[in-house]
Amino acid sequence: MAADATTTGEQTGERLPFHRLSAAGVRALARGEGDGAVITELLRAERSRRLLLLRALRNGLDRGGARPQDLAWFTEAWDLLEHAQRQAPEVCEDVLMSPNTGMWVSLAVRRIRGRPYEDAPHWVVLGHLAALAAAVAARAGLDFSITVPVRRGLVPLPTLGCAVLDAPEPWGTARVTGREGRLWVTGAVGEVEVPADRERHAQDWIPVRRTTLGAGARAVSLVLEELDPYRTFPHPSEPSLLSPAEAAYWESLLADAWQLLLRDDPGSAEAMRSGLMSVAPTPRRERFRPHSSTAGDAFGGVTASRPDDAAQLAATLVHEFQHTKLGGLMHLEPLSETADPEGPDTLLYAPWRDDPRPLGGLLQGIYAFFGVTRFWRAHRHTADPAYAPLAHFEFALWRAQVWAALTAVRGHERLTPLGRYVVECLSERCAQWLADEVPATELRLAQEAADDHRARWRAHHLRPPAEAVEATVRAWHRGDARPPSALTAPPVLIPDTAVRFMDGTAVLARHRLGDPDGAWRNPGGAGAVAGADAAEVLLARDDHAGARAAFTARLTGGEAPASAWPGLGRALAHDPAHRAAARLLLQYPERARAVHDAVVATTGGRVDPVRLASWLGS
């Protein structure tokens, strides 16, 4: 590949300029925004980063990172790519800047440094460069012939499509030949002649699926990515073809989501028009629990599960593109200093995760959900009246969660000057949103969901000091009027890696707002919310007395999930006689859990959890 200014230093020894964002670009990104011009700045830097990674990959191979035959194969691909770049630079740029190319070159560099991310042989991973070169040469109309990898009978040609061959082995090679504008893929068994119209589907040729959202100057062209092995993060995956009906569903919902963004979050739409390149669909998940992801190495690519509706998909695109923007910024300058390599990284509470997160991961979540909050803030006023309660809930929930996370990281000692600037800018804007009015029911449900998530997190991941628990157990047995003050000492973080479904209260609230009489009301049946037991459903139905009895029975009947303690706290919160117990269970449930378990362990008997929580809360 021809090198740009950032890649020639090793040959010349010159001190070369760095990419720098404009002051306006930094200000926009720090506020969670950024238009097409800012995205163009980030893409220029990303281009240089990919060229540097390609150079690092080649240098690593030259220094003994591959067998001689693999190196010869790689060199052949490199030479064809350089030739194609000279003949059709715009085509080469398009392939180079594909999100999948960024993912591949990053994983390939990690591979030669001893960190494999896929089960494909070394030569198959390195040989992907030949597939890239073949795709560029074919699109440029060049005459060429090159050997490329075959993956379980499939020959992906990035940005073009995928040839289907009979393959006796999972890994093999094929020859891709271009002549006078035509293209053939010849394998060990059989040959595929790619249709002259390469966007036409054939029995042995699957073209890349593209869709255009909107029209005119506000349109965006996307790849609905099914084929490229490097479309998923962080591990590559086999092609997953959409049925005609599924493809139509995605195209329809993407079009509807784009119209919502143009209306309710035009700034994000403008940025995506410049930087969103592909969406890789994954199967449907449980309702109100979609899954999506991006990777800093795959600028412009999003993976997303089948959405429930257009508004959910619009929020997902905003969420993931916020990650993309912040990842591009962090490639230029970090927001936090690297943790001490000699000690463990400090882990923090992330209101949208089951697990504790390092500072860098929490900053990414803050930035992504800030964008989500901004979308719902606008959409709740334009949504269909039947959908508006859910939109109000989403805004209120994420406003509270983002504000809580921003409050936690402000002033953190490991924030860089840029990190402090970003946090301050986001805090200033989020503080303004706190004054926005939300209907009473939706506001209450959002606050309950936020409080419950935080309490569950504490119950699962925090433990009071062992000495304090022992002292408290002794005080309980003595009948002391109140527990010792030692129990208020800072708890110890012990991550519970098995915990799931901490979002159960929020998911139940969404069902309640969207379908009050739905199947979610019957735990264990079809349509039930995963991870939500009968006691939690009773809470969602405002049956606090029934929920209290159910949680009490669980906590006195043997093994009970840690989340039962916050659940009991929510059930007691509506009883003035148990305000102290409710407060304790919602703010410090780890204390009740630890002391209860220790008392049971020492006596073998049962303990009334309400009485214990009342005493601990005194």
Side-chain angles (χ1 to χ4, degrees):
M1 295 283 291
D4 70 357
T6 61
T7 65
T8 57
E10 65 184 71
Q11 289 110 358
T12 65
E14 298 175 0
R15 182 176 177 83
L16 300 174
F18 292 96
H19 283 280
R20 295 185 184 277
L21 280 178
S22 63
V26 173
R27 284 195 299 270
L29 290 173
R31 288 171 55 83
E33 299 171 349
D35 59 12
V38 176
I39 301 304
T40 298
E41 291 184 63
L42 294 177
L43 283 169
R44 280 199 294 265
E46 182 62 24
R47 176 184 183 275
S48 293
R49 183 175 182 272
R50 292 193 186 177
L51 290 173
L52 286 168
L53 284 170
L54 280 168
R55 175 61 65 180
L57 180 59
R58 177 155 190 173
N59 289 347
L61 297 177
D62 287 342
R63 288 193 291 266
R67 301 175 304 174
Q69 59 268 39
D70 297 339
L71 182 58
W73 188 7
F74 189 89
T75 302
E76 179 189 28
W78 188 281
D79 292 344
L80 177 59
L81 204 53
E82 282 194 326
H83 174 61
Q85 183 189 37
R86 289 190 293 269
Q87 299 300 315
E90 69 288 347
V91 174
C92 191
E93 287 294 300
D94 186 60
V95 174
L96 173 69
M97 295 309 295
S98 163
N100 310 321
T101 300
M103 198 70 227
W104 164 73
V105 69
S106 175
L107 295 182
V109 170
R110 291 185 175 99
R111 178 88 177 214
I112 66 170
R113 294 176 178 175
R115 290 183 291 163
Y117 279 75
E118 57 178 312
D119 62 354
H122 202 58
W123 59 268
V124 170
V125 176
L126 301 178
H128 190 72
L129 184 70
L132 294 171
V136 174
R139 289 179 55 186
L142 304 181
D143 289 349
F144 71 97
S145 185
I146 191 170
T147 300
V148 300
V150 179
R151 294 169 168 264
R152 297 183 171 89
L154 302 175
V155 182
L157 299 178
T159 74
L160 266 180
C162 184
V164 182
L165 294 170
D166 290 328
E169 301 293 337
W171 314 107
T173 61
R175 196 75 180 170
V176 180
T177 303
R179 188 181 312 115
E180 298 179 352
R182 302 305 303 273
L183 193 64
W184 293 267
V185 181
T186 307
V189 180
E191 181 177 80
V192 173
E193 181 175 358
V194 178
D197 177 5
R198 294 171 186 163
E199 296 185 1
R200 181 171 65 84
H201 198 288
Q203 182 177 356
D204 50 11
W205 173 252
I206 307 166
V208 166
R209 191 187 300 273
R210 291 181 172 84
T211 185
T212 299
L213 312 179
R218 305 182 81 188
V220 61
S221 179
L222 290 180
V223 172
L224 202 54
E225 184 60 79
E226 313 161 85
L227 304 174
D228 196 295
Y230 296 98
R231 73 192 183 281
T232 54
F233 328 119
H235 303 285
S237 59
E238 297 302 313
S240 180
L241 300 183
L242 300 173
S243 68
E246 191 70 4
Y249 179 88
W250 271 97
E251 290 171 354
S252 175
L253 237 61
L254 279 167
D256 292 345
W258 185 246
Q259 292 304 313
L260 294 184
L261 291 174
L262 289 173
R263 183 189 68 194
D264 297 336
D265 197 355
S268 288
E270 168 63 17
M272 290 180 200
R273 200 168 64 82
S274 300
L276 181 62
M277 304 173 198
S278 67
V279 175
T282 61
R284 180 193 287 277
R285 309 259 293 201
E286 182 185 351
R287 181 162 173 75
F288 296 125
R289 278 182 169 142
H291 180 267
S292 60
S293 64
T294 52
D297 295 315
F299 193 108
V302 171
T303 65
S305 60
R306 190 182 200 265
D308 298 333
D309 52 56
Q312 185 188 84
L313 179 56
T316 294
L317 294 177
V318 170
H319 176 114
E320 296 304 340
F321 202 71
Q322 289 286 109
H323 280 309
T324 295
K325 291 189 298 183
L326 191 65
L329 176 62
M330 292 172 67
H331 280 164
L332 295 173
E333 186 170 345
L335 301 188
S336 60
E337 296 173 357
T338 305
D340 181 1
E342 299 300 321
D345 198 357
T346 301
L347 298 176
L348 304 168
Y349 169 57
W352 34 81
R353 296 277 301 216
D354 291 340
D355 56 332
R357 300 292 289 160
L359 177 60
L362 182 55
L363 291 172
Q364 277 281 2
I366 288 171
Y367 201 80
F369 281 100
F370 179 90
V372 170
T373 308
R374 182 183 61 220
F375 168 76
W376 288 115
R377 181 174 185 251
H379 183 65
R380 66 199 182 111
H381 296 303
T382 62
D384 182 278
Y387 197 90
L390 185 58
H392 281 298
F393 169 83
E394 298 292 358
F395 167 66
L397 175 63
W398 298 121
R399 174 183 65 177
Q401 302 293 51
V402 169
W403 180 250
L406 283 168
T407 301
V409 300
R410 290 181 73 180
H412 196 288
E413 61 183 7
R414 281 182 39 220
L415 288 175
T416 64
L418 177 61
R420 287 194 294 272
Y421 179 58
V422 170
V423 169
E424 289 302 320
C425 287
L426 296 180
S427 297
E428 180 181 347
R429 292 201 67 196
C430 193
Q432 297 170 1
W433 298 345
L434 297 178
D436 290 0
E437 291 188 2
V438 177
T441 297
E442 290 87 327
L443 182 62
R444 175 180 64 83
L445 292 175
Q447 192 59 57
E448 287 179 357
D451 291 345
D452 183 74
H453 188 281
R454 178 181 177 276
R456 289 191 192 211
W457 189 92
R458 293 185 67 94
H460 278 280
H461 299 300
L462 299 183
R463 299 288 184 276
E467 299 83 357
V469 173
E470 293 171 1
T472 304
V473 171
R474 290 194 294 270
W476 170 264
H477 288 315
R478 287 194 305 265
D480 290 1
R482 57 180 50 88
S485 60
L487 195 62
T488 64
V492 178
L493 176 66
I494 303 176
D496 179 354
T497 58
V499 63
R500 295 183 64 201
F501 304 127
M502 280 194 190
D503 63 343
T505 298
V507 173
L508 284 167
R510 294 181 178 109
H511 279 285
R512 169 176 168 166
L513 292 169
D515 185 13
D517 299 318
W520 63 272
R521 299 172 65 90
N522 303 307
V529 174
D533 62 19
E536 293 175 72
V537 172
L538 289 171
L539 270 181
R541 295 167 56 180
D542 289 335
D543 183 354
H544 301 109
R548 172 183 170 176
F551 280 121
T552 300
R554 293 208 68 181
L555 291 167
T556 56
E559 289 292 328
S563 59
W565 291 104
L568 178 60
R570 289 177 57 209
L572 296 173
H574 298 269
D575 184 350
H578 292 102
R579 291 281 169 81
R583 189 181 312 112
L584 181 282
L585 292 175
L586 289 174
Q587 294 181 1
Y588 308 106
E590 70 278 6
R591 298 178 188 173
R593 180 191 180 192
V595 174
H596 174 272
D597 292 350
V599 170
V600 171
T602 57
T603 65
R606 295 184 178 183
V607 180
D608 181 351
V610 177
R611 177 169 166 257
L612 177 63
S614 297
W615 180 71
L616 292 173
S618 65

